Amino acid sequence: MIWLTWRQYRRQAWFTLAVLGALAAIVIPTGLAMHAKYEDSGLAACRAALGQASMITQTASVANCESLAHQFQQQFGGMVFVAVLFVILPVLVGVFFGAPLIAREVEQGTHRLVWTQGVSRLHWALVKFGLIGSITAVLAVGYALGVSWWFEPLVSATGRLGYFAFDVQGVVPVVYTLFALALGIFAGTYWTKVLPAMGISLVGYAVVRVAIEVFARPRYLPAQTLTFAPDSGQTPNTAAGDWVMDQGVRNAAGDMVLPNSQIGPCGPEGCGTGGAGGPGAYNWLEYQPGDRFWTFQGIETGIFAVLTAALVYFAIRRVRVLA
């Protein structure tokens, strides 16, 4: 069974390795260039000196650090578009490996031939799921490690908790990939035509990922808030990697008067833009601290691991009743 499964999917496996090799040819040289620039420009030392506190005193060194970060983003910001490829890789695994795994066999009727050769349905399913799942897990770990290293300098200025950056860092790319594979397999056991199964896998993956990212992730832990006066000399520390979810200017009564803004220093005409904040106005931020990155990674990994296990379980149950 293992040899048969390998023969059935060896072309897809070699194609996948070729794609990963092509991406590595892009990632390795650009990653080395970004890491070198990050260190040689002084940005790494500058950000290390700022520490991890959420608020710091505005000084010339802070302004210089922000200038270096801006220059780095200008030079390498285009690499974000390359990272999009790594965001969509998991769903491609589900669509092209998971969905056809059972659907193609049932569509062509070859599953019946195997079952008449003394191979039980459970054994057939476990070998297929286990072999493809193991290969997928190994490749996913490799690409997750590579992309995390490559993307590290880019996310230093924006934080690792924000949308998109979080998705290609740490361990979550691995569980995204395994979830996509399991979803494709499950879809193939219910929609036993390859093309419908592939479509369901694509749509289902997108719906689940967006729902968790938009509605669940910001609420894994209660958000914290910061308030600071415009004349305090304090400013949010970008080196802390905090995920700013909402911000603005509130008046003395606590009402939001300038959403998505930060009030400037107080002068003769008052605070903010033409004194719009009014007397007693203050800056307000709602955020998730940057040091929660691995906690959030663990929570999201657990969610997708449970979903993956559930999909595999129901896929096996479905195999038992296939005609």
Side-chain angles (χ1 to χ4, degrees):
M1 274 298 299
I2 294 177
W3 175 244
L4 175 62
T5 303
W6 165 249
R7 284 180 60 84
Q8 288 178 314
Y9 287 91
R10 65 181 184 271
R11 289 184 180 179
Q12 292 95 320
W14 289 122
F15 177 76
T16 301
L17 288 174
V19 170
L20 291 177
L23 290 174
I26 299 173
V27 167
I28 292 174
T30 55
L32 291 172
M34 287 191 295
H35 277 266
K37 179 68 174 180
Y38 187 68
E39 294 289 340
D40 297 343
S41 66
L43 181 57
C46 177
R47 297 188 70 81
L50 293 181
Q52 298 299 310
S54 294
M55 295 293 293
I56 52 175
T57 302
Q58 183 71 51
T59 62
S61 60
V62 173
N64 178 64
C65 195
E66 292 176 350
S67 176
L68 290 174
H70 179 68
Q71 293 173 21
F72 184 85
Q73 288 290 329
Q74 280 191 319
Q75 182 174 352
F76 295 106
M79 291 295 103
V80 172
F81 295 104
V82 178
V84 172
L85 297 174
F86 292 101
V87 174
I88 66 175
L89 269 180
V91 70
L92 296 181
V93 171
V95 169
F96 292 105
F97 280 82
L101 190 67
I102 301 299
R104 179 176 290 124
E105 295 266 13
V106 177
E107 187 175 20
Q108 297 176 350
T110 55
H111 63 301
R112 298 190 186 96
L113 176 62
V114 177
W115 294 345
T116 60
Q117 303 300 313
V119 178
S120 69
R121 295 180 181 223
L122 180 60
H123 179 67
W124 178 75
L126 290 178
V127 170
K128 276 184 166 291
F129 297 175
L131 180 61
I132 300 300
S134 299
I135 294 174
T136 299
V138 170
L139 293 177
V141 169
Y143 103 81
L145 290 172
V147 176
S148 293
W149 165 81
W150 176 74
F151 211 55
E152 183 180 1
L154 283 172
V155 300
S156 66
T158 59
R160 297 189 294 174
L161 275 174
Y163 297 120
F164 186 74
F166 185 89
D167 301 339
V168 295
Q169 296 277 291
V171 296
V172 292
V174 178
V175 290
Y176 292 161
T177 306
L178 294 176
F179 166 74
L181 179 68
L183 179 59
I185 292 172
F186 173 76
T189 62
Y190 275 85
W191 293 270
T192 53
K193 300 289 184 180
V194 174
L195 289 179
M198 293 171 75
I200 293 297
S201 301
L202 178 62
V203 173
Y205 179 86
V207 169
V208 173
R209 279 290 315 277
V210 170
I212 289 179
E213 185 162 331
V214 174
F215 300 108
R217 188 185 300 166
R219 297 172 178 82
Y220 287 162
L221 292 175
Q224 296 186 5
T225 58
L226 274 176
T227 59
F228 56 100
D231 55 357
S232 66
Q234 294 282 296
T235 186
N237 181 12
T238 57
D242 297 334
W243 178 18
V244 178
M245 304 166 66
D246 195 10
Q247 64 178 331
V249 177
R250 294 183 180 272
N251 60 22
D255 300 321
M256 183 74 75
V257 292
L258 292 174
N260 302 315
S261 302
Q262 184 170 317
I263 196 169
C266 294
E269 298 181 356
C271 299
T273 306
Y282 58 90
N283 295 304
W284 174 86
L285 275 79
E286 183 180 46
Y287 71 103
Q288 292 285 357
D291 59 9
R292 290 180 174 178
F293 173 77
W294 285 111
T295 301
F296 277 39
Q297 284 269 318
I299 293 172
E300 194 148 316
T301 296
I303 291 173
F304 277 94
V306 170
L307 291 175
T308 300
L311 288 168
V312 171
Y313 172 75
F314 287 113
I316 291 175
R317 285 177 59 93
R318 179 62 182 168
V319 167
R320 290 176 177 271
V321 299
L322 286 175

